[in-house]
Amino acid sequence: MERTVVRCADGHVFTTASFPMQQAERLGPGRLVRCPRCARLRSVVPVSLEKQ
C-alpha cells in the first residue's frame, strides 16, 4: 500500500495510507483525514516533496 505525505489545515505534516488521489472538479485535491497530531478531522492536501 502506497503512503502519501500530507499537510493538515493546522500545518502538521504526516503520512497516510488512506488518501484517495482521485480529484473531483469541485472538491479539488483536499480530503478530510484524522490528523494524528491534533486528533481531529482536518482538511489535508498532498505535500510536494520537490526541493525549492
mmCIF file of all heavy atoms in Angstrom:
data_model
loop_
_atom_site.group_PDB
_atom_site.id
_atom_site.type_symbol
_atom_site.label_atom_id
_atom_site.label_comp_id
_atom_site.label_asym_id
_atom_site.label_seq_id
_atom_site.Cartn_x
_atom_site.Cartn_y
_atom_site.Cartn_z
ATOM 1 N N MET A 1 0.847 -1.181 0.000
ATOM 2 C CA MET A 1 0.000 0.000 0.000
ATOM 3 C C MET A 1 0.888 1.239 0.000
ATOM 4 O O MET A 1 1.815 1.360 0.792
ATOM 5 C CB MET A 1 -0.900 -0.015 1.242
ATOM 6 C CG MET A 1 -1.906 1.108 1.233
ATOM 7 S SD MET A 1 -3.035 1.080 2.647
ATOM 8 C CE MET A 1 -3.820 -0.487 2.438
ATOM 9 N N GLU A 2 0.603 2.151 -0.890
ATOM 10 C CA GLU A 2 1.403 3.365 -1.021
ATOM 11 C C GLU A 2 1.011 4.396 0.041
ATOM 12 O O GLU A 2 -0.156 4.599 0.316
ATOM 13 C CB GLU A 2 1.188 3.963 -2.404
ATOM 14 C CG GLU A 2 2.090 5.131 -2.689
ATOM 15 C CD GLU A 2 1.912 5.629 -4.101
ATOM 16 O OE1 GLU A 2 1.590 4.828 -4.977
ATOM 17 O OE2 GLU A 2 2.092 6.836 -4.302
ATOM 18 N N ARG A 3 2.006 5.034 0.630
ATOM 19 C CA ARG A 3 1.757 6.074 1.631
ATOM 20 C C ARG A 3 1.957 7.435 0.990
ATOM 21 O O ARG A 3 2.824 7.614 0.153
ATOM 22 C CB ARG A 3 2.676 5.888 2.823
ATOM 23 C CG ARG A 3 2.482 4.501 3.417
ATOM 24 C CD ARG A 3 2.798 4.303 4.843
ATOM 25 N NE ARG A 3 2.309 5.233 5.801
ATOM 26 C CZ ARG A 3 1.215 5.064 6.546
ATOM 27 N NH1 ARG A 3 0.455 4.025 6.341
ATOM 28 N NH2 ARG A 3 0.885 5.936 7.469
ATOM 29 N N THR A 4 1.143 8.397 1.409
ATOM 30 C CA THR A 4 1.192 9.741 0.861
ATOM 31 C C THR A 4 1.523 10.730 1.969
ATOM 32 O O THR A 4 0.947 10.662 3.046
ATOM 33 C CB THR A 4 -0.176 10.115 0.242
ATOM 34 O OG1 THR A 4 -0.529 9.130 -0.718
ATOM 35 C CG2 THR A 4 -0.132 11.467 -0.420
ATOM 36 N N VAL A 5 2.445 11.645 1.714
ATOM 37 C CA VAL A 5 2.784 12.701 2.674
ATOM 38 C C VAL A 5 1.778 13.821 2.473
ATOM 39 O O VAL A 5 1.578 14.303 1.358
ATOM 40 C CB VAL A 5 4.217 13.224 2.465
ATOM 41 C CG1 VAL A 5 4.536 14.332 3.455
ATOM 42 C CG2 VAL A 5 5.218 12.088 2.599
ATOM 43 N N VAL A 6 1.113 14.215 3.573
ATOM 44 C CA VAL A 6 0.075 15.244 3.509
ATOM 45 C C VAL A 6 0.301 16.293 4.593
ATOM 46 O O VAL A 6 1.012 16.058 5.560
ATOM 47 C CB VAL A 6 -1.344 14.635 3.667
ATOM 48 C CG1 VAL A 6 -1.683 13.728 2.510
ATOM 49 C CG2 VAL A 6 -1.488 13.898 4.977
ATOM 50 N N ARG A 7 -0.333 17.459 4.411
ATOM 51 C CA ARG A 7 -0.282 18.538 5.407
ATOM 52 C C ARG A 7 -1.714 18.891 5.766
ATOM 53 O O ARG A 7 -2.538 19.133 4.897
ATOM 54 C CB ARG A 7 0.431 19.759 4.847
ATOM 55 C CG ARG A 7 0.397 20.950 5.822
ATOM 56 C CD ARG A 7 1.182 22.131 5.308
ATOM 57 N NE ARG A 7 2.607 21.809 5.437
ATOM 58 C CZ ARG A 7 3.472 21.817 4.431
ATOM 59 N NH1 ARG A 7 3.091 22.140 3.234
ATOM 60 N NH2 ARG A 7 4.727 21.503 4.631
ATOM 61 N N CYS A 8 -2.018 18.954 7.078
ATOM 62 C CA CYS A 8 -3.367 19.298 7.517
ATOM 63 C C CYS A 8 -3.529 20.817 7.560
ATOM 64 O O CYS A 8 -2.570 21.572 7.400
ATOM 65 C CB CYS A 8 -3.707 18.662 8.863
ATOM 66 S SG CYS A 8 -3.118 19.541 10.318
ATOM 67 N N ALA A 9 -4.737 21.270 7.796
ATOM 68 C CA ALA A 9 -5.051 22.698 7.816
ATOM 69 C C ALA A 9 -4.293 23.434 8.924
ATOM 70 O O ALA A 9 -4.089 24.643 8.835
ATOM 71 C CB ALA A 9 -6.551 22.903 7.985
ATOM 72 N N ASP A 10 -3.860 22.734 9.959
ATOM 73 C CA ASP A 10 -3.080 23.353 11.040
ATOM 74 C C ASP A 10 -1.582 23.334 10.766
ATOM 75 O O ASP A 10 -0.789 23.782 11.582
ATOM 76 C CB ASP A 10 -3.359 22.648 12.369
ATOM 77 C CG ASP A 10 -4.671 23.082 12.999
ATOM 78 O OD1 ASP A 10 -5.254 24.079 12.530
ATOM 79 O OD2 ASP A 10 -5.111 22.424 13.952
ATOM 80 N N GLY A 11 -1.165 22.755 9.628
ATOM 81 C CA GLY A 11 0.243 22.740 9.258
ATOM 82 C C GLY A 11 1.007 21.498 9.660
ATOM 83 O O GLY A 11 2.204 21.409 9.413
ATOM 84 N N HIS A 12 0.348 20.514 10.276
ATOM 85 C CA HIS A 12 1.026 19.283 10.659
ATOM 86 C C HIS A 12 1.266 18.427 9.419
ATOM 87 O O HIS A 12 0.376 18.259 8.596
ATOM 88 C CB HIS A 12 0.190 18.491 11.673
ATOM 89 C CG HIS A 12 -0.130 19.264 12.897
ATOM 90 N ND1 HIS A 12 -1.392 19.318 13.436
ATOM 91 C CD2 HIS A 12 0.649 20.030 13.697
ATOM 92 C CE1 HIS A 12 -1.377 20.074 14.516
ATOM 93 N NE2 HIS A 12 -0.141 20.523 14.690
ATOM 94 N N VAL A 13 2.477 17.889 9.280
ATOM 95 C CA VAL A 13 2.829 17.039 8.149
ATOM 96 C C VAL A 13 2.926 15.607 8.644
ATOM 97 O O VAL A 13 3.578 15.331 9.653
ATOM 98 C CB VAL A 13 4.177 17.489 7.527
ATOM 99 C CG1 VAL A 13 4.589 16.557 6.400
ATOM 100 C CG2 VAL A 13 4.066 18.927 7.030
ATOM 101 N N PHE A 14 2.275 14.678 7.928
ATOM 102 C CA PHE A 14 2.291 13.269 8.304
ATOM 103 C C PHE A 14 1.999 12.424 7.077
ATOM 104 O O PHE A 14 1.695 12.954 6.010
ATOM 105 C CB PHE A 14 1.272 12.980 9.429
ATOM 106 C CG PHE A 14 -0.149 13.355 9.092
ATOM 107 C CD1 PHE A 14 -1.041 12.407 8.609
ATOM 108 C CD2 PHE A 14 -0.601 14.649 9.271
ATOM 109 C CE1 PHE A 14 -2.352 12.745 8.304
ATOM 110 C CE2 PHE A 14 -1.906 14.999 8.983
ATOM 111 C CZ PHE A 14 -2.779 14.048 8.496
ATOM 112 N N THR A 15 2.141 11.115 7.197
ATOM 113 C CA THR A 15 1.843 10.222 6.082
ATOM 114 C C THR A 15 0.543 9.496 6.357
ATOM 115 O O THR A 15 0.174 9.261 7.511
ATOM 116 C CB THR A 15 2.955 9.176 5.863
ATOM 117 O OG1 THR A 15 3.076 8.381 7.031
ATOM 118 C CG2 THR A 15 4.278 9.833 5.537
ATOM 119 N N THR A 16 -0.135 9.133 5.289
ATOM 120 C CA THR A 16 -1.370 8.385 5.414
ATOM 121 C C THR A 16 -1.469 7.391 4.270
ATOM 122 O O THR A 16 -0.988 7.659 3.171
ATOM 123 C CB THR A 16 -2.600 9.320 5.428
ATOM 124 O OG1 THR A 16 -3.771 8.524 5.578
ATOM 125 C CG2 THR A 16 -2.716 10.151 4.173
ATOM 126 N N ALA A 17 -2.054 6.254 4.548
ATOM 127 C CA ALA A 17 -2.255 5.241 3.516
ATOM 128 C C ALA A 17 -3.647 5.354 2.928
ATOM 129 O O ALA A 17 -3.951 4.751 1.912
ATOM 130 C CB ALA A 17 -2.049 3.851 4.101
ATOM 131 N N SER A 18 -4.499 6.148 3.541
ATOM 132 C CA SER A 18 -5.898 6.196 3.126
ATOM 133 C C SER A 18 -6.243 7.442 2.323
ATOM 134 O O SER A 18 -7.394 7.815 2.243
ATOM 135 C CB SER A 18 -6.792 6.134 4.363
ATOM 136 O OG SER A 18 -6.560 7.259 5.185
ATOM 137 N N PHE A 19 -5.241 8.106 1.729
ATOM 138 C CA PHE A 19 -5.507 9.340 1.000
ATOM 139 C C PHE A 19 -5.909 9.017 -0.425
ATOM 140 O O PHE A 19 -5.086 8.575 -1.220
ATOM 141 C CB PHE A 19 -4.280 10.245 0.994
ATOM 142 C CG PHE A 19 -4.584 11.647 0.543
ATOM 143 C CD1 PHE A 19 -5.173 12.541 1.414
ATOM 144 C CD2 PHE A 19 -4.314 12.061 -0.741
ATOM 145 C CE1 PHE A 19 -5.466 13.832 1.017
ATOM 146 C CE2 PHE A 19 -4.594 13.346 -1.149
ATOM 147 C CZ PHE A 19 -5.173 14.230 -0.269
ATOM 148 N N PRO A 20 -7.182 9.220 -0.768
ATOM 149 C CA PRO A 20 -7.616 8.917 -2.138
ATOM 150 C C PRO A 20 -7.097 9.990 -3.102
ATOM 151 O O PRO A 20 -7.316 11.168 -2.887
ATOM 152 C CB PRO A 20 -9.142 8.949 -2.047
ATOM 153 C CG PRO A 20 -9.433 9.831 -0.880
ATOM 154 C CD PRO A 20 -8.261 9.710 0.059
ATOM 155 N N MET A 21 -6.395 9.585 -4.136
ATOM 156 C CA MET A 21 -5.796 10.552 -5.038
ATOM 157 C C MET A 21 -6.714 10.974 -6.188
ATOM 158 O O MET A 21 -6.348 11.773 -7.011
ATOM 159 C CB MET A 21 -4.482 9.996 -5.608
ATOM 160 C CG MET A 21 -3.399 9.863 -4.550
ATOM 161 S SD MET A 21 -3.135 11.350 -3.569
ATOM 162 C CE MET A 21 -2.429 12.425 -4.778
ATOM 163 N N GLN A 22 -7.943 10.447 -6.244
ATOM 164 C CA GLN A 22 -8.869 10.908 -7.266
ATOM 165 C C GLN A 22 -9.175 12.370 -7.004
ATOM 166 O O GLN A 22 -9.314 12.782 -5.865
ATOM 167 C CB GLN A 22 -10.185 10.123 -7.227
ATOM 168 C CG GLN A 22 -10.045 8.646 -7.401
ATOM 169 C CD GLN A 22 -9.836 7.912 -6.095
ATOM 170 O OE1 GLN A 22 -9.658 8.522 -5.048
ATOM 171 N NE2 GLN A 22 -9.844 6.602 -6.138
ATOM 172 N N GLN A 23 -9.295 13.139 -8.061
ATOM 173 C CA GLN A 23 -9.548 14.570 -7.897
ATOM 174 C C GLN A 23 -10.900 14.916 -8.495
ATOM 175 O O GLN A 23 -11.100 14.819 -9.693
ATOM 176 C CB GLN A 23 -8.447 15.390 -8.566
ATOM 177 C CG GLN A 23 -8.628 16.872 -8.355
ATOM 178 C CD GLN A 23 -7.426 17.656 -8.837
ATOM 179 O OE1 GLN A 23 -6.420 17.083 -9.218
ATOM 180 N NE2 GLN A 23 -7.542 18.946 -8.829
ATOM 181 N N ALA A 24 -11.831 15.296 -7.651
ATOM 182 C CA ALA A 24 -13.126 15.752 -8.122
ATOM 183 C C ALA A 24 -13.003 17.225 -8.492
ATOM 184 O O ALA A 24 -12.332 17.987 -7.808
ATOM 185 C CB ALA A 24 -14.172 15.561 -7.028
ATOM 186 N N GLU A 25 -13.645 17.628 -9.584
ATOM 187 C CA GLU A 25 -13.511 19.010 -10.049
ATOM 188 C C GLU A 25 -13.906 20.037 -8.998
ATOM 189 O O GLU A 25 -13.216 20.993 -8.755
ATOM 190 C CB GLU A 25 -14.375 19.225 -11.287
ATOM 191 C CG GLU A 25 -13.671 18.860 -12.556
ATOM 192 C CD GLU A 25 -14.525 19.198 -13.754
ATOM 193 O OE1 GLU A 25 -15.128 20.278 -13.758
ATOM 194 O OE2 GLU A 25 -14.572 18.366 -14.662
ATOM 195 N N ARG A 26 -15.020 19.828 -8.340
ATOM 196 C CA ARG A 26 -15.499 20.853 -7.419
ATOM 197 C C ARG A 26 -14.859 20.765 -6.039
ATOM 198 O O ARG A 26 -14.944 21.684 -5.262
ATOM 199 C CB ARG A 26 -17.021 20.802 -7.298
ATOM 200 C CG ARG A 26 -17.540 19.524 -6.698
ATOM 201 C CD ARG A 26 -19.060 19.470 -6.756
ATOM 202 N NE ARG A 26 -19.537 18.225 -6.210
ATOM 203 C CZ ARG A 26 -19.933 18.066 -4.962
ATOM 204 N NH1 ARG A 26 -19.935 19.084 -4.141
ATOM 205 N NH2 ARG A 26 -20.353 16.895 -4.533
ATOM 206 N N LEU A 27 -14.219 19.641 -5.735
ATOM 207 C CA LEU A 27 -13.618 19.478 -4.413
ATOM 208 C C LEU A 27 -12.127 19.775 -4.386
ATOM 209 O O LEU A 27 -11.577 20.105 -3.344
ATOM 210 C CB LEU A 27 -13.847 18.050 -3.899
ATOM 211 C CG LEU A 27 -15.305 17.658 -3.683
ATOM 212 C CD1 LEU A 27 -15.377 16.200 -3.259
ATOM 213 C CD2 LEU A 27 -15.958 18.550 -2.663
ATOM 214 N N GLY A 28 -11.449 19.632 -5.509
ATOM 215 C CA GLY A 28 -10.012 19.844 -5.544
ATOM 216 C C GLY A 28 -9.259 18.685 -4.921
ATOM 217 O O GLY A 28 -9.816 17.615 -4.697
ATOM 218 N N PRO A 29 -7.982 18.869 -4.610
ATOM 219 C CA PRO A 29 -7.154 17.766 -4.116
ATOM 220 C C PRO A 29 -7.303 17.499 -2.613
ATOM 221 O O PRO A 29 -6.791 16.525 -2.121
ATOM 222 C CB PRO A 29 -5.736 18.232 -4.430
ATOM 223 C CG PRO A 29 -5.831 19.722 -4.343
ATOM 224 C CD PRO A 29 -7.203 20.070 -4.872
ATOM 225 N N GLY A 30 -7.967 18.356 -1.852
ATOM 226 C CA GLY A 30 -8.080 18.191 -0.403
ATOM 227 C C GLY A 30 -9.066 17.112 -0.002
ATOM 228 O O GLY A 30 -10.039 16.853 -0.692
ATOM 229 N N ARG A 31 -8.803 16.469 1.124
ATOM 230 C CA ARG A 31 -9.691 15.444 1.673
ATOM 231 C C ARG A 31 -9.726 15.594 3.187
ATOM 232 O O ARG A 31 -8.815 16.170 3.778
ATOM 233 C CB ARG A 31 -9.180 14.038 1.335
ATOM 234 C CG ARG A 31 -9.147 13.727 -0.140
ATOM 235 C CD ARG A 31 -10.563 13.587 -0.704
ATOM 236 N NE ARG A 31 -10.524 13.236 -2.101
ATOM 237 C CZ ARG A 31 -10.627 14.096 -3.098
ATOM 238 N NH1 ARG A 31 -10.725 15.374 -2.847
ATOM 239 N NH2 ARG A 31 -10.609 13.692 -4.337
ATOM 240 N N LEU A 32 -10.742 15.030 3.816
ATOM 241 C CA LEU A 32 -10.811 15.016 5.281
ATOM 242 C C LEU A 32 -10.163 13.739 5.795
ATOM 243 O O LEU A 32 -10.539 12.641 5.403
ATOM 244 C CB LEU A 32 -12.264 15.070 5.762
ATOM 245 C CG LEU A 32 -12.961 16.408 5.622
ATOM 246 C CD1 LEU A 32 -14.412 16.281 6.083
ATOM 247 C CD2 LEU A 32 -12.261 17.482 6.414
ATOM 248 N N VAL A 33 -9.167 13.910 6.659
ATOM 249 C CA VAL A 33 -8.438 12.795 7.263
ATOM 250 C C VAL A 33 -8.207 13.149 8.725
ATOM 251 O O VAL A 33 -8.007 14.318 9.065
ATOM 252 C CB VAL A 33 -7.079 12.567 6.548
ATOM 253 C CG1 VAL A 33 -6.266 11.501 7.244
ATOM 254 C CG2 VAL A 33 -7.285 12.211 5.092
ATOM 255 N N ARG A 34 -8.216 12.149 9.598
ATOM 256 C CA ARG A 34 -7.939 12.412 11.009
ATOM 257 C C ARG A 34 -6.444 12.639 11.203
ATOM 258 O O ARG A 34 -5.628 11.776 10.931
ATOM 259 C CB ARG A 34 -8.407 11.248 11.879
ATOM 260 C CG ARG A 34 -8.274 11.560 13.370
ATOM 261 C CD ARG A 34 -9.005 10.577 14.249
ATOM 262 N NE ARG A 34 -10.403 10.448 13.931
ATOM 263 C CZ ARG A 34 -11.368 11.276 14.336
ATOM 264 N NH1 ARG A 34 -11.063 12.308 15.076
ATOM 265 N NH2 ARG A 34 -12.617 11.055 14.013
ATOM 266 N N CYS A 35 -6.095 13.825 11.680
ATOM 267 C CA CYS A 35 -4.694 14.188 11.911
ATOM 268 C C CYS A 35 -4.204 13.503 13.189
ATOM 269 O O CYS A 35 -4.844 13.625 14.239
ATOM 270 C CB CYS A 35 -4.573 15.705 12.048
ATOM 271 S SG CYS A 35 -2.910 16.260 12.463
ATOM 272 N N PRO A 36 -3.068 12.806 13.136
ATOM 273 C CA PRO A 36 -2.562 12.135 14.342
ATOM 274 C C PRO A 36 -2.010 13.111 15.381
ATOM 275 O O PRO A 36 -1.889 12.776 16.545
ATOM 276 C CB PRO A 36 -1.455 11.230 13.806
ATOM 277 C CG PRO A 36 -1.041 11.840 12.525
ATOM 278 C CD PRO A 36 -2.250 12.527 11.964
ATOM 279 N N ARG A 37 -1.658 14.327 14.975
ATOM 280 C CA ARG A 37 -1.109 15.317 15.916
ATOM 281 C C ARG A 37 -2.200 15.998 16.729
ATOM 282 O O ARG A 37 -2.076 16.168 17.931
ATOM 283 C CB ARG A 37 -0.310 16.378 15.160
ATOM 284 C CG ARG A 37 0.895 15.851 14.410
ATOM 285 C CD ARG A 37 2.126 15.673 15.273
ATOM 286 N NE ARG A 37 2.480 16.795 16.093
ATOM 287 C CZ ARG A 37 3.221 17.823 15.726
ATOM 288 N NH1 ARG A 37 3.700 17.885 14.506
ATOM 289 N NH2 ARG A 37 3.498 18.780 16.576
ATOM 290 N N CYS A 38 -3.290 16.439 16.078
ATOM 291 C CA CYS A 38 -4.339 17.160 16.801
ATOM 292 C C CYS A 38 -5.582 16.293 17.016
ATOM 293 O O CYS A 38 -6.534 16.749 17.656
ATOM 294 C CB CYS A 38 -4.694 18.472 16.091
ATOM 295 S SG CYS A 38 -5.119 18.321 14.362
ATOM 296 N N ALA A 39 -5.584 15.070 16.509
ATOM 297 C CA ALA A 39 -6.648 14.077 16.720
ATOM 298 C C ALA A 39 -8.031 14.561 16.276
ATOM 299 O O ALA A 39 -9.032 14.191 16.853
ATOM 300 C CB ALA A 39 -6.679 13.631 18.177
ATOM 301 N N ARG A 40 -8.070 15.399 15.247
ATOM 302 C CA ARG A 40 -9.342 15.885 14.711
ATOM 303 C C ARG A 40 -9.384 15.642 13.215
ATOM 304 O O ARG A 40 -8.352 15.527 12.565
ATOM 305 C CB ARG A 40 -9.494 17.377 14.972
ATOM 306 C CG ARG A 40 -9.582 17.705 16.424
ATOM 307 C CD ARG A 40 -9.785 19.170 16.604
ATOM 308 N NE ARG A 40 -9.876 19.469 18.032
ATOM 309 C CZ ARG A 40 -10.095 20.656 18.504
ATOM 310 N NH1 ARG A 40 -10.237 21.684 17.699
ATOM 311 N NH2 ARG A 40 -10.172 20.851 19.808
ATOM 312 N N LEU A 41 -10.595 15.580 12.683
ATOM 313 C CA LEU A 41 -10.733 15.507 11.235
ATOM 314 C C LEU A 41 -10.328 16.851 10.659
ATOM 315 O O LEU A 41 -10.862 17.883 11.045
ATOM 316 C CB LEU A 41 -12.178 15.190 10.837
ATOM 317 C CG LEU A 41 -12.585 13.742 10.916
ATOM 318 C CD1 LEU A 41 -14.054 13.601 10.541
ATOM 319 C CD2 LEU A 41 -11.733 12.868 10.029
ATOM 320 N N ARG A 42 -9.372 16.834 9.759
ATOM 321 C CA ARG A 42 -8.854 18.070 9.170
ATOM 322 C C ARG A 42 -8.828 17.916 7.655
ATOM 323 O O ARG A 42 -8.684 16.822 7.126
ATOM 324 C CB ARG A 42 -7.422 18.355 9.640
ATOM 325 C CG ARG A 42 -7.293 18.603 11.101
ATOM 326 C CD ARG A 42 -7.747 19.988 11.437
ATOM 327 N NE ARG A 42 -7.468 20.252 12.839
ATOM 328 C CZ ARG A 42 -8.080 21.183 13.518
ATOM 329 N NH1 ARG A 42 -8.979 21.941 12.943
ATOM 330 N NH2 ARG A 42 -7.787 21.377 14.771
ATOM 331 N N SER A 43 -8.930 19.030 6.984
ATOM 332 C CA SER A 43 -8.735 19.050 5.542
ATOM 333 C C SER A 43 -7.240 18.915 5.293
ATOM 334 O O SER A 43 -6.443 19.641 5.879
ATOM 335 C CB SER A 43 -9.247 20.368 4.968
ATOM 336 O OG SER A 43 -8.958 20.447 3.604
ATOM 337 N N VAL A 44 -6.849 17.945 4.462
ATOM 338 C CA VAL A 44 -5.428 17.741 4.164
ATOM 339 C C VAL A 44 -5.206 17.798 2.657
ATOM 340 O O VAL A 44 -6.107 17.523 1.870
ATOM 341 C CB VAL A 44 -4.903 16.395 4.716
ATOM 342 C CG1 VAL A 44 -5.031 16.339 6.222
ATOM 343 C CG2 VAL A 44 -5.615 15.223 4.087
ATOM 344 N N VAL A 45 -4.004 18.189 2.279
ATOM 345 C CA VAL A 45 -3.589 18.221 0.880
ATOM 346 C C VAL A 45 -2.241 17.523 0.759
ATOM 347 O O VAL A 45 -1.452 17.529 1.705
ATOM 348 C CB VAL A 45 -3.495 19.664 0.330
ATOM 349 C CG1 VAL A 45 -4.865 20.315 0.269
ATOM 350 C CG2 VAL A 45 -2.557 20.502 1.151
ATOM 351 N N PRO A 46 -1.954 16.921 -0.390
ATOM 352 C CA PRO A 46 -0.644 16.274 -0.585
ATOM 353 C C PRO A 46 0.478 17.303 -0.529
ATOM 354 O O PRO A 46 0.307 18.443 -0.964
ATOM 355 C CB PRO A 46 -0.737 15.669 -1.978
ATOM 356 C CG PRO A 46 -2.166 15.716 -2.376
ATOM 357 C CD PRO A 46 -2.824 16.754 -1.539
ATOM 358 N N VAL A 47 1.623 16.891 0.007
ATOM 359 C CA VAL A 47 2.799 17.756 0.110
ATOM 360 C C VAL A 47 3.720 17.450 -1.059
ATOM 361 O O VAL A 47 4.000 16.286 -1.340
ATOM 362 C CB VAL A 47 3.540 17.523 1.441
ATOM 363 C CG1 VAL A 47 4.847 18.288 1.494
ATOM 364 C CG2 VAL A 47 2.655 17.903 2.604
ATOM 365 N N SER A 48 4.196 18.484 -1.723
ATOM 366 C CA SER A 48 5.166 18.313 -2.788
ATOM 367 C C SER A 48 6.532 18.070 -2.152
ATOM 368 O O SER A 48 6.978 18.835 -1.315
ATOM 369 C CB SER A 48 5.222 19.559 -3.656
ATOM 370 O OG SER A 48 6.237 19.445 -4.608
ATOM 371 N N LEU A 49 7.195 16.986 -2.547
ATOM 372 C CA LEU A 49 8.484 16.634 -1.959
ATOM 373 C C LEU A 49 9.654 17.167 -2.769
ATOM 374 O O LEU A 49 10.806 16.857 -2.490
ATOM 375 C CB LEU A 49 8.601 15.112 -1.840
ATOM 376 C CG LEU A 49 7.559 14.471 -0.922
ATOM 377 C CD1 LEU A 49 7.729 12.960 -0.929
ATOM 378 C CD2 LEU A 49 7.651 15.013 0.475
ATOM 379 N N GLU A 50 9.380 18.003 -3.767
ATOM 380 C CA GLU A 50 10.449 18.591 -4.589
ATOM 381 C C GLU A 50 11.190 19.652 -3.798
ATOM 382 O O GLU A 50 10.600 20.373 -3.003
ATOM 383 C CB GLU A 50 9.858 19.216 -5.837
ATOM 384 C CG GLU A 50 9.134 18.233 -6.709
ATOM 385 C CD GLU A 50 8.396 18.931 -7.847
ATOM 386 O OE1 GLU A 50 8.483 20.167 -7.952
ATOM 387 O OE2 GLU A 50 7.726 18.226 -8.607
ATOM 388 N N LYS A 51 12.488 19.775 -4.057
ATOM 389 C CA LYS A 51 13.274 20.833 -3.413
ATOM 390 C C LYS A 51 12.964 22.152 -4.064
ATOM 391 O O LYS A 51 12.797 22.242 -5.276
ATOM 392 C CB LYS A 51 14.776 20.540 -3.541
ATOM 393 C CG LYS A 51 15.214 19.393 -2.699
ATOM 394 C CD LYS A 51 16.708 19.244 -2.763
ATOM 395 C CE LYS A 51 17.147 18.095 -1.878
ATOM 396 N NZ LYS A 51 18.596 17.925 -1.906
ATOM 397 N N GLN A 52 12.876 23.206 -3.263
ATOM 398 C CA GLN A 52 12.565 24.529 -3.799
ATOM 399 C C GLN A 52 13.741 25.441 -3.710
ATOM 400 O O GLN A 52 14.555 25.423 -2.932
ATOM 401 C CB GLN A 52 11.393 25.142 -3.033
ATOM 402 C CG GLN A 52 10.151 24.341 -3.246
ATOM 403 C CD GLN A 52 8.960 24.950 -2.475
ATOM 404 O OE1 GLN A 52 9.082 25.965 -1.812
ATOM 405 N NE2 GLN A 52 7.844 24.314 -2.584
#
